[in-house]
PDB file of all heavy atoms in Angstrom:
ATOM      1  N   HIS A 152     120.982  91.095  52.873  1.00 86.00           N
ATOM      2  CA  HIS A 152     119.961  91.080  51.823  1.00 86.00           C
ATOM      3  C   HIS A 152     120.483  90.991  50.393  1.00 86.00           C
ATOM      4  O   HIS A 152     119.741  90.574  49.508  1.00 86.00           O
ATOM      5  CB  HIS A 152     119.059  92.311  51.946  1.00 86.00           C
ATOM      6  CG  HIS A 152     118.368  92.396  53.274  1.00 86.00           C
ATOM      7  ND1 HIS A 152     117.366  91.537  53.646  1.00 86.00           N
ATOM      8  CD2 HIS A 152     118.569  93.226  54.325  1.00 86.00           C
ATOM      9  CE1 HIS A 152     116.960  91.837  54.874  1.00 86.00           C
ATOM     10  NE2 HIS A 152     117.677  92.855  55.304  1.00 86.00           N
ATOM     11  N   GLU A 153     121.721  91.417  50.147  1.00 84.00           N
ATOM     12  CA  GLU A 153     122.192  91.455  48.761  1.00 84.00           C
ATOM     13  C   GLU A 153     123.383  90.550  48.475  1.00 84.00           C
ATOM     14  O   GLU A 153     123.626  90.216  47.326  1.00 84.00           O
ATOM     15  CB  GLU A 153     122.580  92.894  48.384  1.00 84.00           C
ATOM     16  CG  GLU A 153     121.408  93.829  48.283  1.00 84.00           C
ATOM     17  CD  GLU A 153     121.803  95.201  47.800  1.00 84.00           C
ATOM     18  OE1 GLU A 153     122.656  95.300  46.896  1.00 84.00           O
ATOM     19  OE2 GLU A 153     121.262  96.182  48.332  1.00 84.00           O
ATOM     20  N   LEU A 154     124.126  90.217  49.490  1.00 90.00           N
ATOM     21  CA  LEU A 154     125.349  89.434  49.300  1.00 90.00           C
ATOM     22  C   LEU A 154     125.303  88.175  50.147  1.00 90.00           C
ATOM     23  O   LEU A 154     124.787  88.191  51.256  1.00 90.00           O
ATOM     24  CB  LEU A 154     126.577  90.243  49.750  1.00 90.00           C
ATOM     25  CG  LEU A 154     126.931  91.458  48.931  1.00 90.00           C
ATOM     26  CD1 LEU A 154     127.868  92.351  49.721  1.00 90.00           C
ATOM     27  CD2 LEU A 154     127.599  91.025  47.647  1.00 90.00           C
ATOM     28  N   ALA A 155     125.875  87.137  49.631  1.00 91.00           N
ATOM     29  CA  ALA A 155     126.062  85.936  50.449  1.00 91.00           C
ATOM     30  C   ALA A 155     127.475  85.987  51.016  1.00 91.00           C
ATOM     31  O   ALA A 155     128.406  86.449  50.343  1.00 91.00           O
ATOM     32  CB  ALA A 155     125.892  84.694  49.590  1.00 91.00           C
ATOM     33  N   VAL A 156     127.630  85.560  52.239  1.00 95.00           N
ATOM     34  CA  VAL A 156     128.948  85.391  52.831  1.00 95.00           C
ATOM     35  C   VAL A 156     129.141  83.899  53.035  1.00 95.00           C
ATOM     36  O   VAL A 156     128.365  83.257  53.746  1.00 95.00           O
ATOM     37  CB  VAL A 156     129.091  86.149  54.168  1.00 95.00           C
ATOM     38  CG1 VAL A 156     130.446  85.863  54.802  1.00 95.00           C
ATOM     39  CG2 VAL A 156     128.917  87.651  53.957  1.00 95.00           C
ATOM     40  N   ILE A 157     130.139  83.362  52.357  1.00 96.00           N
ATOM     41  CA  ILE A 157     130.418  81.931  52.432  1.00 96.00           C
ATOM     42  C   ILE A 157     131.729  81.736  53.172  1.00 96.00           C
ATOM     43  O   ILE A 157     132.744  82.359  52.835  1.00 96.00           O
ATOM     44  CB  ILE A 157     130.485  81.309  51.019  1.00 96.00           C
ATOM     45  CG1 ILE A 157     129.122  81.449  50.333  1.00 96.00           C
ATOM     46  CG2 ILE A 157     130.915  79.852  51.089  1.00 96.00           C
ATOM     47  CD1 ILE A 157     129.087  80.937  48.921  1.00 96.00           C
ATOM     48  N   LEU A 158     131.700  80.885  54.178  1.00 97.00           N
ATOM     49  CA  LEU A 158     132.877  80.588  54.981  1.00 97.00           C
ATOM     50  C   LEU A 158     133.469  79.273  54.494  1.00 97.00           C
ATOM     51  O   LEU A 158     132.773  78.262  54.430  1.00 97.00           O
ATOM     52  CB  LEU A 158     132.502  80.490  56.457  1.00 97.00           C
ATOM     53  CG  LEU A 158     131.683  81.659  57.005  1.00 97.00           C
ATOM     54  CD1 LEU A 158     131.359  81.438  58.473  1.00 97.00           C
ATOM     55  CD2 LEU A 158     132.403  82.972  56.797  1.00 97.00           C
ATOM     56  N   GLU A 159     134.738  79.325  54.135  1.00 96.00           N
ATOM     57  CA  GLU A 159     135.416  78.142  53.619  1.00 96.00           C
ATOM     58  C   GLU A 159     136.755  78.008  54.325  1.00 96.00           C
ATOM     59  O   GLU A 159     137.343  79.011  54.735  1.00 96.00           O
ATOM     60  CB  GLU A 159     135.630  78.272  52.113  1.00 96.00           C
ATOM     61  CG  GLU A 159     134.323  78.453  51.355  1.00 96.00           C
ATOM     62  CD  GLU A 159     134.539  78.705  49.885  1.00 96.00           C
ATOM     63  OE1 GLU A 159     134.883  77.740  49.184  1.00 96.00           O
ATOM     64  OE2 GLU A 159     134.372  79.849  49.467  1.00 96.00           O
ATOM     65  N   ASP A 160     137.246  76.789  54.443  1.00 96.00           N
ATOM     66  CA  ASP A 160     138.545  76.610  55.085  1.00 96.00           C
ATOM     67  C   ASP A 160     139.651  77.257  54.255  1.00 96.00           C
ATOM     68  O   ASP A 160     140.502  77.963  54.789  1.00 96.00           O
ATOM     69  CB  ASP A 160     138.854  75.132  55.310  1.00 96.00           C
ATOM     70  CG  ASP A 160     138.037  74.528  56.438  1.00 96.00           C
ATOM     71  OD1 ASP A 160     137.377  75.277  57.190  1.00 96.00           O
ATOM     72  OD2 ASP A 160     138.052  73.294  56.573  1.00 96.00           O
ATOM     73  N   ARG A 161     139.620  77.009  52.963  1.00 94.00           N
ATOM     74  CA  ARG A 161     140.660  77.521  52.057  1.00 94.00           C
ATOM     75  C   ARG A 161     140.017  77.812  50.695  1.00 94.00           C
ATOM     76  O   ARG A 161     138.995  77.230  50.359  1.00 94.00           O
ATOM     77  CB  ARG A 161     141.756  76.473  51.852  1.00 94.00           C
ATOM     78  CG  ARG A 161     142.615  76.229  53.062  1.00 94.00           C
ATOM     79  CD  ARG A 161     143.652  75.141  52.765  1.00 94.00           C
ATOM     80  NE  ARG A 161     144.689  75.121  53.766  1.00 94.00           N
ATOM     81  CZ  ARG A 161     144.569  74.520  54.947  1.00 94.00           C
ATOM     82  NH1 ARG A 161     143.469  73.885  55.264  1.00 94.00           N
ATOM     83  NH2 ARG A 161     145.574  74.545  55.805  1.00 94.00           N
ATOM     84  N   PRO A 162     140.678  78.654  49.895  1.00 95.00           N
ATOM     85  CA  PRO A 162     140.162  78.865  48.534  1.00 95.00           C
ATOM     86  C   PRO A 162     140.311  77.582  47.715  1.00 95.00           C
ATOM     87  O   PRO A 162     141.234  76.793  47.929  1.00 95.00           O
ATOM     88  CB  PRO A 162     141.049  79.979  47.979  1.00 95.00           C
ATOM     89  CG  PRO A 162     142.255  80.011  48.854  1.00 95.00           C
ATOM     90  CD  PRO A 162     141.867  79.447  50.175  1.00 95.00           C
ATOM     91  N   SER A 163     139.401  77.403  46.783  1.00 93.00           N
ATOM     92  CA  SER A 163     139.479  76.222  45.908  1.00 93.00           C
ATOM     93  C   SER A 163     140.598  76.425  44.885  1.00 93.00           C
ATOM     94  O   SER A 163     141.049  77.547  44.629  1.00 93.00           O
ATOM     95  CB  SER A 163     138.148  76.012  45.184  1.00 93.00           C
ATOM     96  OG  SER A 163     137.951  77.043  44.226  1.00 93.00           O
ATOM     97  N   GLU A 164     141.004  75.326  44.294  1.00 93.00           N
ATOM     98  CA  GLU A 164     142.030  75.385  43.249  1.00 93.00           C
ATOM     99  C   GLU A 164     141.561  76.266  42.093  1.00 93.00           C
ATOM    100  O   GLU A 164     142.328  77.052  41.543  1.00 93.00           O
ATOM    101  CB  GLU A 164     142.333  73.959  42.771  1.00 93.00           C
ATOM    102  CG  GLU A 164     143.501  73.891  41.817  1.00 93.00           C
ATOM    103  CD  GLU A 164     143.882  72.455  41.496  1.00 93.00           C
ATOM    104  OE1 GLU A 164     144.181  71.698  42.436  1.00 93.00           O
ATOM    105  OE2 GLU A 164     143.893  72.117  40.299  1.00 93.00           O
ATOM    106  N   THR A 165     140.276  76.153  41.735  1.00 93.00           N
ATOM    107  CA  THR A 165     139.716  76.956  40.652  1.00 93.00           C
ATOM    108  C   THR A 165     139.793  78.446  40.981  1.00 93.00           C
ATOM    109  O   THR A 165     140.150  79.255  40.122  1.00 93.00           O
ATOM    110  CB  THR A 165     138.257  76.549  40.380  1.00 93.00           C
ATOM    111  OG1 THR A 165     138.225  75.164  40.050  1.00 93.00           O
ATOM    112  CG2 THR A 165     137.646  77.358  39.262  1.00 93.00           C
ATOM    113  N   MET A 166     139.461  78.808  42.222  1.00 93.00           N
ATOM    114  CA  MET A 166     139.553  80.219  42.633  1.00 93.00           C
ATOM    115  C   MET A 166     140.973  80.732  42.468  1.00 93.00           C
ATOM    116  O   MET A 166     141.191  81.830  41.953  1.00 93.00           O
ATOM    117  CB  MET A 166     139.132  80.392  44.093  1.00 93.00           C
ATOM    118  CG  MET A 166     137.679  80.258  44.366  1.00 93.00           C
ATOM    119  SD  MET A 166     137.434  80.369  46.171  1.00 93.00           S
ATOM    120  CE  MET A 166     135.673  80.173  46.243  1.00 93.00           C
TER     121      MET A 166
END
Side-chain angles (χ1 to χ4, degrees):
H152 301 290
E153 291 185 40
L154 293 163
V156 176
I157 297 177
L158 310 179
E159 301 175 74
D160 286 349
R161 290 178 165 81
S163 70
E164 187 173 303
T165 302
M166 287 176 180

